[in-house]
C-alpha cells in the first residue's frame, strides 16, 4: 500500500460521504440561477490554474509527509475544503459544515477501504483570511498504513 493508494481511497471516501451535500457553486456563463452541487474531489492539485476559481466547492487531498520505521508506517494528509458564496456568513457555515462532516465521519469510521486507519488527533481549522467569495477549511489527518515487510534473508547467501 502506497501513499497514492491512500489518497485514492480518501478520494472515493470523500465523494461518497459528501454526495448528498448541496453547496453553492459559481453560476455558469449561460445561467442566471445559482447552482448547487456536492463538492468535487481532487488528489494533489486542481487540474489547471483556471480551475481555482471555477471548481469551488471542492475538496483537495494533499500528502504532507510519510514515515516508515521499525514500529509504524504513517502518512500525514491535508484535506482542504473550499466553498463559494457571495454571502460571507453562508460561505463560512458551508465550509464549517463540510469540514465537520468529513472530520466526524473519519472519527466514526476509523478505517477506510479496509486498509487505512485514521489516528487521533484529527485537527481542523477554518481560515479567517478575507478571500472575498471563497472560504477555506482544512483537516490535518494521520493515517496508519500496513508496514512493508523487509526480507533481508534473501540477500544473506
Amino acid at each position: 500500500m502506497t501513499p497514492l493508494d491512500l489518497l485514492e481511497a480518501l478520494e472515493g471516501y470523500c465523494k461518497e460521504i459528501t454526495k448528498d451535500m448541496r453547496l453553492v457553486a459559481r453560476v455558469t456563463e449561460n445561467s442566471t440561477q445559482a447552482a448547487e452541487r456536492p463538492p468535487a474531489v481532487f488528489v494533489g492539485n486542481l487540474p489547471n490554474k483556471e480551475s481555482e476559481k471555477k471548481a469551488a466547492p471542492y475538496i483537495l487531498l494533499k500528502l504532507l509527509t510519510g514515515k516508515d520505521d521499525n514500529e509504524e508506517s504513517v502518512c500525514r494528509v491535508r484535506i482542504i475544503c473550499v466553498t463559494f458564496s457571495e454571502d460571507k456568513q453562508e460561505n463560512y457555515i458551508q465550509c464549517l459544515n463540510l469540514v465537520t462532516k468529513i472530520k466526524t465521519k473519519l472519527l466514526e469510521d476509523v478505517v477506510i477501504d479496509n486498509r487505512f486507519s485514521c489516528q487521533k488527533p484529527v485537527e481542523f481549522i477554518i481560515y479567517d483570511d478575507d478571500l472575498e467569495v471563497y472560504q477555506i477549511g482544512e483537516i490535518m489527518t494521520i493515517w496508519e498504513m500496513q508496514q512493508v515487510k523487509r526480507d533481508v534473508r534473501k540477500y544473506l547467501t
Side-chain angles (χ1 to χ4, degrees), residues 6 10 62 64-65 75-79 102-103 106 118-119 121-123 138-143:
L6 168 61
L10 258 175
K62 288 188 132 334
L64 285 177
T65 63
C75 286
R76 294 179 191 277
V77 174
R78 288 173 51 190
I79 302 171
I102 295 168
K103 174 197 66 86
L106 287 173
C118 185
Q119 305 297 300
V122 173
E123 300 178 55
E138 186 174 317
I139 308 164
M140 284 68 71
T141 58
I142 303 166
W143 294 89

Side-chain angles (χ1 to χ4, degrees), residues 73-153:
S73 178
V74 295
C75 286
R76 294 179 191 277
V77 174
R78 288 173 51 190
I79 302 171
I80 302 163
C81 300
V82 179
T83 57
F84 166 86
S85 178
E86 293 183 16
D87 179 330
K88 287 187 176 199
Q89 183 175 9
E90 177 184 34
N91 208 3
Y92 180 85
I93 291 169
Q94 283 190 128
C95 191
L96 181 57
N97 281 338
L98 180 57
V99 166
T100 301
K101 181 168 189 118
I102 295 168
K103 174 197 66 86
T104 302
K105 198 73 173 124
L106 287 173
L107 291 171
E108 287 174 352
D109 293 344
V110 183
V111 175
I112 66 165
D113 202 32
N114 296 317
R115 302 185 291 171
F116 306 105
S117 174
C118 185
Q119 305 297 300
K120 287 185 176 180
V122 173
E123 300 178 55
F124 65 98
I125 183 172
I126 305 297
Y127 289 104
D128 201 23
D129 300 340
D130 185 11
L131 300 171
E132 295 180 22
V133 294
Y134 300 98
Q135 182 70 53
I136 300 174
E138 186 174 317
I139 308 164
M140 284 68 71
T141 58
I142 303 166
W143 294 89
E144 186 174 331
M145 301 174 49
Q146 186 177 19
Q147 285 189 288
V148 174
K149 302 290 185 212
R150 296 181 63 183
D151 185 8
V152 295
R153 291 176 291 164

